[in-house]
């Protein structure tokens, strides 16, 4: 079979897709945890960019690999998958990309398999070869296989697969030059090869194996793995087994899981305090300089009190977001998070959630939208609906600025206490998700969840470069996705907080009504009263006063109530809203941060606004409330009904309000 000509690009509106049509593209395919991304980073020197497949929220990473001798190619790192014929979005998209159904097909496919577990990772290699593109197989972690006593016969593998097979190590760089040489040959005009007669019939086409049980593919991979290794195809690791007996223990496992997460959160606070102080000082300096350059007036206030205060109030928390995802990447790369799946699964099945839902629930800690879309891997509709209904209760990155703000208000000088609060917020979301799933199981979604089948990867030394890349991509993605919303709402909040303006005559009347005289008040007190009166007279003050009775039982003043209302468009906006509402008015002599202003904020009677009870109430509300309109749209799309989306919004709002009410009223009685 000859190589088919490059098809015209199917997505004329997607710039990245058009660029791929004009490049020499090699798609990288492989199971999760085979080191595919590490090899991608090695080949591209970490110079990659992340985008979405056209019309989806599934990520793909592209980068240019220097193949030496003046040649290069564009690598596309496809999502990790176990099959090209299943129904998950990632697997469907990967298959469509390789075959050219969705856009321009790649000129070749680089399949990455795990030398320490060939039986698991060879099945997807067979399916990739059957798709009819020139294929090269990289047997990664070859040095770990040798260390474990497994000798992989690359020649036998190449003969059976009918394509070149190269042994490499993404960690040490072993075999990289040989791999680049074979990639150069892969991109040369050539006749297609198919699987040898010993493995599969030559006429088999891409997707044909979907007509057979998946077990056939794994039996084939198991047979080939035995034939291509001299010392057996399974590497026994007694050390890993002994560790797993502890980390997945029925009683010790949950304790270890909680301890690991608390330690991770504590490190987030310890490491993030320095860049946060630098960002705070930088935004303060920029605000001061810009305010000095511009003449006094509305334009000055818009830029300093509106745009810079709103954006700075969120950007200051970026270090904690990046460090948190760095820690999670380290845990995942080390192999521990897979053990956490086993620990959590025991609880999930009891409440009616399928084991397959753990991956979407874990992905929801980044964003609920792709997590909900990834529930397509759950075949049972009842299980899938249960997962979709509880996924937004997981803590996403948009909630992190709120958690950080509250933790700083409650524990400004105790990182361990702040970390415990942070972990408690995560735990509250998980407990709430399990509780709701349990209720659904016994009410509108009856039935038992299907069991979990999981392949545990070996423990490995995590890659710092991969973790840094992951943290950068998540942090940049947060700014990219939230930046426009934050900017628009910050400007809107400033306008609503400024107009209509309070006249001097009206302000004097208010002072006289309160029994005060402007001439007898100190200048600072007079200016503060004028600023507060101006806010209350503006549109936002009137809105806040209108909705404040609803949130008063939760301990929220009118400014916090406004922040809660604006956050229903996007959760993280509450921080920028409070930055604007508490930042307008005369600046104190010493420049104070948002934290200082909130700590010293008082109501009309001089009482502290952000008490312990109010802070906990605010935290609980944001942990449980549905405050993401795009998530509602995705829920409707994936369930096929607005009814489920409305139900999701309704139950989460009621749950958040009741839980925050209980928290505030209970703590208020004891403080």
């Amino acid at each position: 079979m000859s190589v088919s000509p490059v098809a015209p690009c199917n997505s004329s509106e997607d710039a990245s897709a058009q660029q791929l049509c004009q490049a020499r593209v090699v798609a990288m395919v492989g199971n999760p945890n085979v080191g595919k991304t590490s090899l991608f980073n090695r080949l591209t020197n970490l110079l990659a960019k992340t985008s979405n497949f056209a019309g989806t929220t599934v990520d793909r990473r592209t980068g240019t690999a220097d193949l030496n001798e003046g040649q290069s190619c564009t690598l596309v790192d496809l999502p990790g998958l176990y099959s090209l014929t299943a129904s998950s979005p990632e697997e469907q998209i990967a298959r469509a990309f390789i075959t050219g159904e969705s856009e321009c097909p790649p000129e070749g496919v680089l399949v990455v398999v795990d030398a320490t577990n060939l039986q698991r990772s060879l099945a997807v290699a067979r399916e990739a070869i059957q798709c009819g593109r020139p294929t090269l197989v990289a047997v990664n972690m070859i040095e770990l296989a040798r260390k474990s006593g497994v000798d992989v016969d690359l020649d036998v593998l190449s003969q059976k697969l009918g394509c070149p097979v190269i042994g490499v190590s993404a960690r040490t760089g072993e075999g990289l030059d040989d791999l680049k040489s074979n990639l150069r040959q892969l991109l040369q005009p050539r006749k297609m090869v198919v699987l040898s007669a010993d493995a599969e019939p030559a006429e088999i086409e891409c997707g044909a194996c979907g007509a057979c049980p998946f077990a056939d593919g794994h039996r084939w991979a198991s047979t080939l793995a035995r034939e291509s290794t001299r010392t057996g195809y399974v590497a026994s690791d007694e050390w890993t087994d002994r560790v797993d007996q502890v980390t997945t223990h029925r009683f010790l496992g949950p304790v270890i899981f909680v301890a690991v997460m608390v330690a991770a959160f504590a490190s987030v606070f310890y490491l993030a305090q320095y860049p946060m102080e630098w960002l705070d000082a930088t935004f303060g300096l920029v605000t001061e300089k810009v305010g000095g350059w511009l003449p006094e007036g509305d334009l000055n206030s818009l830029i300093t009190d509106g745009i810079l205060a709103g954006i700075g109030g969120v950007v200051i928390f970026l270090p904690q977001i990046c460090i948190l995802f760095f820690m999670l990447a380290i845990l995942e790369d080390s192999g521990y998070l897979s053990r956490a799946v086993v620990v959590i699964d025991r609880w999930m099945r009891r409440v009616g959630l399928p084991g397959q839902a753990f991956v979407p629930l874990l992905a929801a800690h980044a964003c609920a939208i792709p997590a909900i879309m990834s529930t397509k891997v759950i075949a049972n509709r009842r299980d899938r609906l249960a997962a979709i209904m509880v996924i937004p209760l997981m803590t996403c990155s948009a909630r992190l600025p709120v958690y950080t703000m509250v933790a700083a208000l409650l524990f400004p000088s105790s990182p361990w206490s702040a970390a415990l609060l942070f972990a408690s917020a995560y735990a509250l979301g998980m407990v709430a998700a399990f509780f709701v799933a349990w209720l659904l199981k016994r009410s509108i979604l009856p039935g038992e969840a299907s069991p979990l089948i999981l392949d545990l990867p070996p423990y490995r030394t995590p890659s710092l470069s991969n973790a840094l890349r992951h943290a950068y991509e998540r942090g940049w993605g947060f700014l990219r996705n939230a930046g426009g919303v934050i900017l628009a709402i910050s400007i809107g909040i400033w306008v609503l907080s400024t107009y209509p303006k309070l006249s001097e005559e009206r302000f004097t009347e208010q002072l006289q009504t309160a029994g005060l005289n402007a001439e007898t008040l100190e200048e600072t007190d007079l200016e503060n009263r004028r600023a507060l009166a101006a806010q209350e007279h503006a549109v936002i003050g009137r809105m806040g006063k209108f909705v404040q009775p609803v949130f008063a039982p939760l301990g929220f003043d009118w400014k916090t109530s406004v922040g809660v209302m604006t956050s229903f468009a996007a959760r993280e906006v509450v921080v920028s809203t409070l930055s604007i509402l508490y930042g307008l008015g005369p600046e104190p002599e010493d420049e104070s941060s948002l934290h200082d202003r909130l700590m010293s904020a008082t109501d009309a009677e001089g009482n502290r606004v952000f008490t312990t009870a109010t802070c906990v109430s605010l935290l609980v509300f944001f942990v449980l409330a549905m405050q993401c309109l795009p998530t509602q749209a995705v829920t409707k799309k994936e369930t096929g009904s607005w009814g489920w989306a409305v139900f999701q919004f309704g139950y989460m709002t009621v749950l958040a309000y009741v839980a925050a009410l209980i928290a505030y009223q209970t703590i208020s009685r004891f403080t």
Side-chain angles (χ1 to χ4, degrees):
M1 187 188 309
S2 59
V3 179
S4 59
V6 176
C9 185
N10 297 327
S11 181
S12 59
E13 297 180 357
D14 188 352
S16 63
Q18 289 192 9
Q19 292 175 359
L20 289 180
C21 286
Q22 302 169 1
R24 309 194 69 186
V25 176
V26 174
M28 293 188 68
V29 183
N31 294 162
N33 300 306
V34 298
K36 176 170 59 68
T37 299
S38 297
L39 186 60
F40 173 86
N41 290 336
R42 273 274 186 179
L43 292 170
T44 60
N45 295 317
L46 295 177
L47 299 177
K49 63 179 180 179
T50 302
S51 60
N52 291 341
F53 286 93
T56 74
T57 58
V58 178
D59 288 344
R60 68 173 171 198
R61 300 178 65 215
T62 59
T64 301
D66 182 5
L67 304 181
N68 302 330
E69 299 184 7
Q71 297 188 41
S72 64
C73 71
T74 298
L75 293 179
V76 178
D77 184 14
L78 298 177
L81 43 85
Y82 291 101
S83 173
L84 290 172
T85 58
S87 58
S88 74
E90 290 81 1
E91 290 162 345
Q92 290 177 338
I93 288 170
R95 179 176 178 271
F97 180 78
I98 293 174
T99 59
E101 297 174 15
S102 59
E103 52 188 284
C104 302
E107 294 190 35
V109 178
L110 174 60
V111 183
V112 184
V113 300
D114 183 356
T116 66
N117 199 339
L118 288 176
Q119 179 185 12
R120 181 192 69 183
S121 51
L122 277 176
V124 74
R126 180 191 72 160
E127 295 178 0
I129 293 172
Q130 290 169 352
C131 284
R133 312 305 305 166
T135 304
L136 172 64
V137 175
V139 182
N140 193 25
M141 293 179 278
I142 196 72
E143 85 289 2
L144 293 180
R146 287 196 299 264
K147 184 179 179 181
S148 302
V150 175
D151 186 9
V152 181
D153 193 326
L154 302 177
D155 293 333
V156 171
L157 267 181
S158 178
Q159 177 185 357
K160 295 291 184 179
L161 292 174
C163 68
V165 177
I166 309 298
V168 299
S169 171
R171 187 176 303 277
T172 66
E174 176 184 347
L176 225 58
D177 289 338
D178 195 13
L179 178 63
K180 291 180 179 180
S181 175
N182 278 269
L183 281 173
R184 291 197 302 269
Q185 298 177 23
L186 186 75
L187 297 174
Q188 301 300 319
R190 49 179 282 185
K191 293 289 184 179
M192 286 295 299
V193 295
V194 296
L195 290 171
S196 66
D198 293 338
E200 289 286 341
E203 64 270 11
I204 194 165
E205 296 294 336
C206 180
C209 58
C212 308
F214 289 113
D216 291 346
H218 290 288
R219 282 195 296 268
W220 172 85
S222 177
T223 301
L224 181 55
R226 284 195 299 269
E227 293 175 354
S228 58
T229 52
R230 296 192 179 92
T231 56
Y233 66 99
V234 176
S236 176
D237 194 334
E238 296 180 0
W239 179 84
T240 296
D241 294 338
R242 288 197 299 269
V243 174
D244 282 345
Q245 290 177 1
V246 177
T247 56
T248 61
H249 191 271
R250 181 178 299 273
F251 302 109
L252 292 178
V255 175
I256 294 173
F257 174 74
V258 172
V260 168
M261 298 311 294
V262 170
F265 291 140
S267 64
V268 168
F269 282 94
Y270 272 115
L271 297 175
Q273 57 183 336
Y274 303 107
M276 288 181 68
E277 291 175 358
W278 179 82
L279 283 173
D280 188 29
T282 300
F283 267 92
L285 180 62
V286 171
T287 300
E288 181 182 354
K289 294 294 185 184
V290 172
W293 292 336
L294 296 174
E296 291 293 334
D298 286 354
L299 179 61
N300 187 311
S301 179
L302 170 63
I303 295 177
T304 58
D305 297 324
I307 297 175
L308 291 179
I311 296 177
V314 175
V315 171
I316 191 175
F317 300 112
L318 184 62
Q320 288 188 334
I321 294 174
C322 292
I323 294 174
L324 175 62
F325 282 114
F326 173 82
M327 298 302 299
L328 291 177
I330 290 292
L331 293 175
E332 182 178 9
D333 204 15
S334 67
Y336 175 73
L337 275 189
S338 297
R339 275 73 186 176
V341 173
V342 177
V343 174
I344 298 296
D345 177 63
R346 298 191 184 106
W347 305 340
M348 292 177 62
R349 283 188 287 109
R350 292 178 181 177
V351 301
L353 285 174
Q356 299 93 325
F358 183 81
V359 174
L361 289 174
L362 187 64
H365 287 86
C367 180
I369 293 175
I372 290 176
M373 296 185 69
S374 68
T375 57
K376 286 187 175 73
V377 300
I378 304 174
N380 184 280
R381 176 170 172 78
R382 179 262 162 212
D383 291 351
R384 186 164 178 245
L385 282 174
I388 290 175
M389 288 299 102
V390 302
I391 277 177
L393 288 168
M394 297 293 104
T395 289
C396 66
S397 58
R399 288 182 171 107
L400 299 185
V402 184
Y403 293 3
T404 304
M405 179 185 70
V406 174
L409 289 172
L410 290 176
F411 307 108
S413 58
S414 178
W416 278 105
S417 299
L420 185 60
L421 180 74
F422 222 81
S424 299
Y426 271 76
L428 176 60
M430 295 175 64
V431 170
F434 292 162
F435 175 70
V436 171
W438 179 81
L439 290 179
L440 293 175
K441 175 183 177 181
R442 282 156 178 77
S443 55
I444 61 177
L445 292 175
E448 296 296 330
S450 47
L452 171 70
I453 300 176
L454 183 66
D455 186 13
L456 294 179
Y459 289 103
R460 303 189 185 102
T461 302
S463 170
L464 293 179
S465 60
N466 286 344
L468 289 171
R469 167 61 62 175
H470 181 73
Y472 166 78
E473 290 178 346
R474 291 301 184 185
W476 173 244
F478 171 77
L479 289 181
R480 182 183 62 224
N481 297 330
V485 175
I486 293 171
L487 179 60
I489 293 182
S490 294
I491 295 175
I493 293 296
W494 178 87
V495 171
L496 296 176
S497 302
T498 305
Y499 301 102
K501 291 193 174 184
L502 179 67
S503 65
E504 188 64 28
E505 293 78 10
R506 182 69 180 272
F507 176 59
T508 302
E509 291 176 3
Q510 291 182 2
L511 289 178
Q512 292 174 351
T513 303
L516 299 173
N517 190 331
E519 297 179 358
T520 61
L521 293 174
E522 294 183 2
E523 183 178 353
T524 301
D525 187 21
L526 179 64
E527 291 302 317
N528 286 337
R529 288 180 180 273
R530 179 181 283 109
L532 179 60
Q535 281 189 337
E536 293 179 346
H537 179 73
V539 173
I540 200 143
R542 301 176 189 184
M543 292 171 54
K545 297 285 186 177
F546 179 76
V547 301
Q548 199 270 337
V550 177
F551 294 101
L554 278 58
F556 301 165
D557 68 343
W558 71 266
K559 294 183 181 180
T560 307
S561 300
V562 170
V564 171
M565 295 301 295
T566 59
S567 68
F568 276 94
R571 296 180 179 97
E572 62 275 17
V573 171
V574 67
V575 179
S576 59
T577 300
L578 294 179
S579 298
I580 294 170
L581 293 181
Y582 284 97
L584 286 172
E587 294 290 335
E589 293 183 2
D590 56 330
E591 181 66 26
S592 61
S593 64
L594 171 64
H595 167 262
D596 297 327
R597 294 183 181 183
L598 297 183
M599 285 286 289
S600 59
T602 57
D603 58 19
E605 289 75 29
N607 300 316
R608 242 186 96 194
V609 173
F610 291 96
T611 62
T612 300
T614 300
C615 288
V616 174
S617 174
L618 184 64
L619 180 69
V620 170
F621 187 88
F622 273 85
V623 169
L624 302 177
M626 165 54 74
Q627 295 163 301
C628 184
L629 296 181
T631 298
Q632 293 286 274
V634 174
T635 296
K636 183 268 176 185
K637 178 182 178 182
E638 295 301 321
T639 61
S641 169
W642 275 113
W644 285 110
V646 172
F647 170 75
Q648 186 182 61
F649 178 87
Y651 96 76
M652 289 184 65
T653 302
V654 172
L655 178 64
Y657 189 93
V658 173
L661 176 65
I662 294 173
Y664 177 76
Q665 297 297 335
T666 302
I667 296 176
S668 295
R669 292 181 182 273
F670 295 96
T671 55

